[in-house]
Structure formats: structure tokens, C-alpha cells
């Protein structure tokens, strides 16, 4: 009796997957053939080759517009194929060839990430791995449910450098995430160089939670991150916090405070004690400079202008401030995204609001015509502890198991908010309790995979089925050197399977 072909353990789960019996063998003489006169498509092909080379040891030359032959990977663009959407793709693994088709280079890129997940986990190793690189025959048709699938990294409480951020971008791409929100400033640190206000990094960058050395991105490094992300179809969304969470800015320039006296640097983890001086024109000249420089370095459509926990700002001042800062962002050609407290003020029609803890504020944002990015703290705050025994993480929003981060539906996360009001989901990783790659990996993985699936895959997912798929990502994450939390709620497959 023959067994049914296995369902491939892809994350996020594609729209339609039809496995068949049989296999395609990726061999030493395979080429990657690009059947499109498009430099971006060729670039996607080169990224794929670079990804597969170290573990396979194959040359995988990229050739453009040649006739594909037996054993090749074939990438094509069909801009007219509307059914594929802006980020969708079709992938057909046949006995002699694997064909990847999309309407856009982004879709093609996601097809290559799916192909990568169809290969044995060992293909993701940085070292040469013996063995066969075989893919079960399958036809996949896929496109995302939501356009905003984000991760936020807080580099302000503790700093993470360019290399760490690039590594995260690589991992985001594997799971089809497309927005990297960088929380660049907070009470404890200012992490982005601003030419017109040099003390922000001279003074404001020199601290971190717990009194560590801090750090910052130079303008060139920030641009490098933006480029690296863009090459992997990830938009960087930079955040400058305001009007609260600004102690590092005020410590750098005393003239920004109402009494003109610079406060001491802050290295604790309290919130809500600092505020820009709302009545001072210098505040707006400052923000115009900062947002202007940042906007010029950021090709994406959005800048995040904070807005949360402004407990030291008078409520009517707060409203006036939020309205004015949206105009500043717009003047620099950007749409503003703000934490949901901003719904207390008048929002521009193009504003995007990030929901994190108060459904009432989320509804107020929607009633003003804003779209929501969902980051419910009880589900997707990656900085929450997993359980009582977690050595890292905070607990103010409760504990978030691997299941809890996965097992929710964005369409009914906020009562009274419908799917059409939701742009997508984003998982924030606040860094009060982490300052190393190991800590970051442990909090983010595997929960980030569940959030990625909540953002990409259609409703009707189940934890019972997901946990079996997730289990098979253990070897892949291990091959990539990710120090994930091997939580016992998931039946992890033994790491030995990575060497199949
Ligand atoms: C809150 C707060 C942040 C904290 C975080 C910790 C928001 C939007 N503001 O989320 O300053 O770092 O919780 O979980």
C-alpha cells in the first residue's frame, strides 16, 4: 500500500498546497534560470544561489533568459497574472524542474523562501553538508492575508548593532515578514545620528538600561540596514518616540526642556516620566530637523512618531502635539504611524495606528478612518515571559506561551474592529531584559514564527496542526544558529534530522 505524499511543514502556511508522490533532486549541475528581463528578478535568483551554495557546495550559476534544462530552478515573472497579488507566487516542483512564478519580484522572493523550506533543513547550514538535497513534488499557490507583517526591535533600551539587525532581517525574510520597525529612541538611549543635533549621539547614545555603554547607528550604518532590508523586501519603519519617552533627547539638549535644565541620563526601566516641552517652538524645529533627516534616509512610506504613555504631558497639550507632529511627518513626505494613545487626538486620514493594549483607543482610531497594525501585548509582545520559569522577559501583560502567540485571529482580536480596518500584525521585541543575541533569539523564537503565520495565512489555522509543523523548524533554526526556546509544548524533531 502506498502512503499519501507528505504535507510539507511550511511556515507560514500557504494558501493552497498539493503534494504528489515523487521527488525532484537538486543536483550539482543545477542552474537557476531567470525567464524575465528584469534586474530585480535576477537579483532574487542570485540571493537564492548565495543562500544554497554554502551547504550544498554547488555552483548554481544564474543565467538569464536561457532555455531551462533538466534539473534547473526556473524563475519567471508574469506581471499580468492578477491572481498572484503583489506578494503572491506559484511554485511547481516537478520531477525534472522546479518552477517559481510571481507577478512581482517580492512574490518571486517569497517563492524562493518557500523553496528553501521545502529543502532539508541542512541546506540552511553555513557549512558544507553531505547528503541529498531532495524536494517532494508539490504545487503551491500562495499569497498573504495582510500586507503588514512586522517585527519591532527596541534598540533604545539595549543597543543591537548592524550585524545583529541584518541577521534578524535574514530570519524575517525566511518567514515572509516585510516590516522592520526600529524603535530608535527612548528614555535610556538615542540610537540614530542626526547631523544637525550631534549631541543626541554624543550624549544621548552613551547609556542603556542597567548602565551599559549604549551605542548608535551612524547615518551610513542606518542606510546600510535600510538597503539590506529592501533587498529582502523588508521596509524599515524608523521610530522617534515622542512626546514622552524622551529623556535621552532632553539629557543631550537641556534647551529642549521647559526649564532649560538637562536631566541626568536614565538607566532604569520606568516609563512615563519625561516629556518634550509642548509650548516651545524649539521642540518643533528640533523635530522638523530630526524627522527631515530620517525621512531622507528612509525610502519606505512610513515614519513612526510614538505617542504612547505620555503620562507627563498635559492631555490637551498632547492632542495639539500629536496633530502638529503628523503634519511635520507629512511635510517630509511620510505617513505617520503612532501608538494607539494618539487616537485621543485628531488623526490624519492617512494615519496608521498601532494597537497594543486598549481596545477602546483602537476603536477610536478606526472611527477616525485610521487603519490598524495589531500588536496586542497579551499575544505578540515577544518581550513577555513564556511562563513562570522564564529567565528573561517582563510580565506586565501576562505570560505568553508559544501557543498563545499563535492561536489568535487578527480579524477578531479587537471587538468592533473588522478585517478591512486591519493592515496587519507586528510583534514588538522590547529590550529591557535582553542585551545579547542569545537573549534576543530566546525571546523571539519560536514565537515570531507564529506571528508571521497569523499575518500571512488565512483564518482557520489550528494550534494542533501548527505545532507539528513548527516542530520541524527546530533543525532549521538550529542550522541557522538561532538559539530558540525549545519549549516543551512543541514536539521538536530531533536535531539529527537536520543531517538527513
Ligand atoms: C509598553 C511601553 C514600552 C515598554 C513595553 C514593555 C509600549 C507601546 N510602551 O509598550 O515602553 O518597553 O511596554 O513591554
Amino acid at each position: 500500500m502506498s502512503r499519501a505524499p507528505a504535507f510539507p511543514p511550511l511556515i507560514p502556511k500557504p494558501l493552497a498546497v498539493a503534494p504528489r508522490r515523487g521527488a525532484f533532486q537538486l543536483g550539482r549541475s543545477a542552474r537557476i534560470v531567470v525567464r524575465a528581463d528584469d534586474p530585480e528578478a535576477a537579483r532574487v535568483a542570485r540571493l537564492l544561489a548565495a543562500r544554497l551554495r554554502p551547504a550544498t557546495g554547488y555552483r548554481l550559476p544564474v543565467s538569464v533568459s536561457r532555455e531551462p534544462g533538466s534539473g534547473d530552478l526556473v524563475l519567471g515573472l508574469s506581471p499580468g497574472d492578477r491572481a498572484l497579488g503583489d506578494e503572491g507566487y506559484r511554485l511547481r516542483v516537478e520531477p525534472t524542474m522546479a518552477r517559481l512564478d510571481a507577478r512581482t519580484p517580492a512574490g518571486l522572493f517569497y517563492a524562493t523562501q518557500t523553496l528553501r523550506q521545502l529543502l532539508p533543513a541542512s541546506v540552511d547550514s553555513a557549512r558544507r553538508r553531505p547528503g541529498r538535497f531532495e524536494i517532494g513534488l508539490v504545487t503551491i499557490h500562495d499569497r498573504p492575508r495582510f500586507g503588514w507583517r512586522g517585527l519591532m526591535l527596541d534598540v533604545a533600551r539595549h543597543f543591537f548593532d548592524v550585524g545583529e539587525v541584518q541577521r534578524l532581517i535574514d530570519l524575517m525574510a525566511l518567514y515572509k515578514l516585510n516590516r522592520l520597525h526600529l524603535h530608535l529612541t527612548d528614555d535610556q538611549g538615542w540610537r540614530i545620528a542626526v547631523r544637525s543635533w550631534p549631541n543626541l549621539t554624543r550624549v544621548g547614545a552613551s547609556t542603556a538600561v542597567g548602565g551599559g555603554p549604549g551605542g548608535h547607528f551612524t547615518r551610513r550604518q542606518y542606510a546600510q540596514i535600510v538597503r539590506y532590508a529592501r533587498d529582502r523586501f523588508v521596509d524599515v519603519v524608523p521610530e522617534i518616540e515622542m512626546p514622552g519617552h524622551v529623556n535621552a533627547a532632553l539629557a543631550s539638549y537641556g534647551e529642549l526642556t521647559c526649564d532649560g535644565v538637562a536631566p541626568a541620563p536614565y538607566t532604569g526601566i520606568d516609563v512615563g516620566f519625561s516629556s518634550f516641552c509642548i509650548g516651545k517652538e524649539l521642540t518643533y524645529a528640533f523635530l522638523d530637523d530630526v524627522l527631515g533627516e530620517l525621512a531622507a534616509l528612509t525610502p519606505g512610506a512610513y515614519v513612526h512618531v510614538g505617542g504612547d504613555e505620555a503620562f507627563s504631558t498635559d492631555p490637551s497639550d498632547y492632542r495639539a502635539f500629536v496633530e502638529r507632529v503628523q503634519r511635520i511627518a507629512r511635510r517630509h513626505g511620510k505617513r505617520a504611524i503612532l501608538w494607539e494613545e494618539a487616537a485621543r487626538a485628531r488623526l490624519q486620514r492617512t494615519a496608521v495606528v498601532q494597537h497594543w493594549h486598549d481596545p477602546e483607543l483602537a476603536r477610536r482610531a478606526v472611527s477616525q478612518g485610521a487603519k490598524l497594525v495589531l500588536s496586542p501585548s497579551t499575544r505578540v509582545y515577544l518581550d513577555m515571559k513564556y511562563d513562570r520559569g522564564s529567565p528573561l522577559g517582563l510580565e506586565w501583560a501576562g505570560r505568553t506561551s508559544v501557543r498563545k502567540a499563535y492561536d489568535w485571529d487578527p480579524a477578531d482580536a479587537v471587538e468592533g474592529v473588522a478585517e478591512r480596518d486591519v493592515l496587519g500584525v507586528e510583534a514588538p521585541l522590547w529590550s529591557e531584559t535582553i542585551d545579547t543575541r542569545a537573549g534576543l533569539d530566546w525571546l523571539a523564537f519560536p514565537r515570531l514564527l507564529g506571528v508571521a503565520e497569523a499575518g500571512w495565512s488565512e483564518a482557520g489555522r489550528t494550534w494542533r496542526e501548527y505545532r507539528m509543523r513548527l516542530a520541524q523548524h527546530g533543525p532549521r533554526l538550529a542550522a541557522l544558529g538561532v538559539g530558540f526556546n525549545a519549549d516543551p509544548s512543541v514536539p521538536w524533531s530531533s536535531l539529527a534530522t537536520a543531517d538527513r
Side-chain angles (χ1 to χ4, degrees):
M1 212 179 74
S2 60
R3 283 189 305 140
F7 211 83
L10 300 166
I11 296 179
K13 185 180 190 171
L15 193 59
V17 180
R20 294 186 304 285
R21 270 198 302 274
F24 166 81
Q25 189 75 38
L26 181 67
R28 175 167 307 285
S29 56
R31 294 174 309 163
I32 303 182
V33 178
V34 182
R35 310 206 76 192
D37 183 16
D38 183 299
E40 276 284 277
R43 196 180 58 70
V44 167
R46 287 194 299 273
L47 276 178
L48 175 63
R51 184 66 249 177
L52 302 180
R53 257 176 220 135
T56 60
Y58 305 160
R59 231 165 51 77
L60 300 169
V62 172
S63 62
V64 178
S65 299
R66 283 254 227 86
E67 272 312 303
S70 181
D72 287 347
L73 308 176
V74 188
L75 275 57
L77 274 186
S78 13
D81 194 343
R82 299 246 141 235
L84 295 170
D86 288 344
E87 297 179 295
Y89 63 90
R90 225 182 318 267
L91 171 54
R92 278 165 303 190
V93 182
E94 299 163 357
T96 58
M97 224 173 258
R99 299 173 188 276
L100 293 68
D101 288 285
R103 201 168 73 78
T104 63
L108 207 48
F109 180 71
Y110 293 134
T112 66
Q113 299 307 312
T114 297
L115 182 81
R116 187 178 158 193
Q117 289 194 13
L118 291 171
L119 282 157
S122 57
V123 87
D124 272 307
S125 170
R127 286 177 297 118
R128 180 75 187 272
R129 301 304 282 267
R132 286 149 65 87
F133 295 95
E134 202 172 84
I135 310 178
L137 304 187
V138 67
T139 298
I140 295 175
H141 177 207
D142 198 11
R143 67 177 130 75
R145 181 178 179 190
F146 295 106
W148 188 299
R149 303 177 304 276
L151 167 67
M152 188 209 84
L153 179 65
D154 172 9
V155 292
R157 271 50 179 273
H158 285 109
F159 184 62
F160 291 89
D161 67 16
V162 176
E164 292 303 328
V165 174
Q166 289 179 332
R167 177 175 169 275
L168 256 189
I169 292 169
D170 283 332
L171 291 165
M172 290 173 69
L174 173 59
Y175 294 104
K176 302 187 174 76
L177 294 165
N178 65 356
R179 298 279 186 274
L180 175 62
H181 168 182
L182 288 175
H183 185 76
L184 290 168
T185 69
D186 214 301
D187 289 316
Q188 299 87 347
W190 185 284
R191 307 297 180 210
I192 177 77
V194 177
R195 215 170 359 212
S196 47
W197 296 77
N199 284 357
L200 291 170
T201 41
R202 216 174 278 149
V203 177
S206 62
T207 50
V209 164
H216 73 274
F217 302 124
T218 63
R219 293 163 47 86
R220 186 194 292 262
Q221 286 173 328
Y222 176 78
Q224 187 186 343
I225 290 171
V226 166
R227 210 174 324 110
Y228 191 87
R230 230 177 153 64
D231 282 349
R232 287 149 186 84
F233 302 92
V234 172
D235 261 355
V236 170
V237 179
E239 178 182 359
I240 303 294
E241 259 282 23
M242 60 186 91
H245 290 272
V246 294
N247 195 75
L250 303 183
S252 308
Y253 287 99
E255 56 268 47
L256 289 172
T257 65
C258 285
D259 62 10
V261 181
Y266 180 71
T267 60
I269 63 166
D270 284 346
V271 297
F273 59 88
S274 60
S275 177
F276 277 138
C277 187
I278 306 301
K280 237 183 191 176
E281 273 312 299
L282 185 65
T283 299
Y284 305 97
F286 170 77
L287 291 173
D288 194 50
D289 289 343
V290 169
L291 294 178
E293 286 196 27
L294 198 59
L297 292 173
T298 306
Y302 295 93
V303 291
H304 201 304
V305 288
D308 61 317
E309 299 177 320
F311 305 140
S312 301
T313 313
D314 168 84
S316 75
D317 281 356
Y318 177 84
R319 289 194 293 274
F321 177 86
V322 165
E323 287 163 22
R324 189 153 172 191
V325 84
Q326 291 177 86
R327 291 200 295 275
I328 298 178
R330 189 180 187 148
R331 206 161 48 239
H332 294 292
K334 297 297 172 189
R335 290 176 69 171
I337 166 166
L338 309 103
W339 297 105
E340 67 195 345
E341 284 91 327
R344 297 202 172 101
R346 210 166 41 220
L347 295 170
Q348 293 192 348
R349 272 219 317 284
T350 55
V352 172
V353 163
Q354 188 164 10
H355 161 63
W356 64 286
H357 76 310
D358 186 341
E360 185 49 42
L361 289 170
R363 283 190 288 272
R364 270 171 81 172
V366 168
S367 73
Q368 295 196 55
K371 296 281 182 220
L372 296 182
V373 169
L374 300 180
S375 302
S377 48
T378 53
R379 296 285 184 182
V380 303
Y381 263 40
L382 300 175
D383 59 313
M384 290 301 125
K385 287 180 187 281
Y386 287 85
D387 53 37
R388 204 188 301 276
S390 291
L392 300 171
L394 301 173
E395 284 180 293
W396 69 262
R399 293 181 279 260
T400 303
S401 63
V402 180
R403 176 173 184 167
K404 208 169 166 201
Y406 174 78
D407 211 356
W408 62 289
D409 183 22
D412 48 49
V414 182
E415 215 189 299
V417 169
E419 180 154 348
R420 64 171 179 280
D421 302 318
V422 174
L423 278 189
V425 302
E426 183 175 298
L429 180 51
W430 302 96
S431 61
E432 284 95 331
T433 69
I434 52 169
D435 61 355
T436 61
R437 174 188 293 187
L440 185 157
D441 278 3
W442 192 84
L443 283 179
F445 297 94
R447 289 185 291 195
L448 181 62
L449 279 63
V451 184
E453 179 151 314
W456 179 282
S457 308
E458 293 297 324
R461 306 171 280 111
T462 70
W463 163 251
R464 268 171 72 98
E465 184 273 333
Y466 172 72
R467 68 195 269 275
M468 303 312 287
R469 261 185 297 129
L470 177 57
Q472 299 191 53
H473 282 252
R476 189 171 304 275
L477 291 171
L480 289 163
V482 177
F484 65 101
N485 174 13
D487 187 87
S489 63
V490 179
W492 300 104
S493 36
S494 100
L495 297 188
T497 57
D499 294 321
R500 257 185 315 156

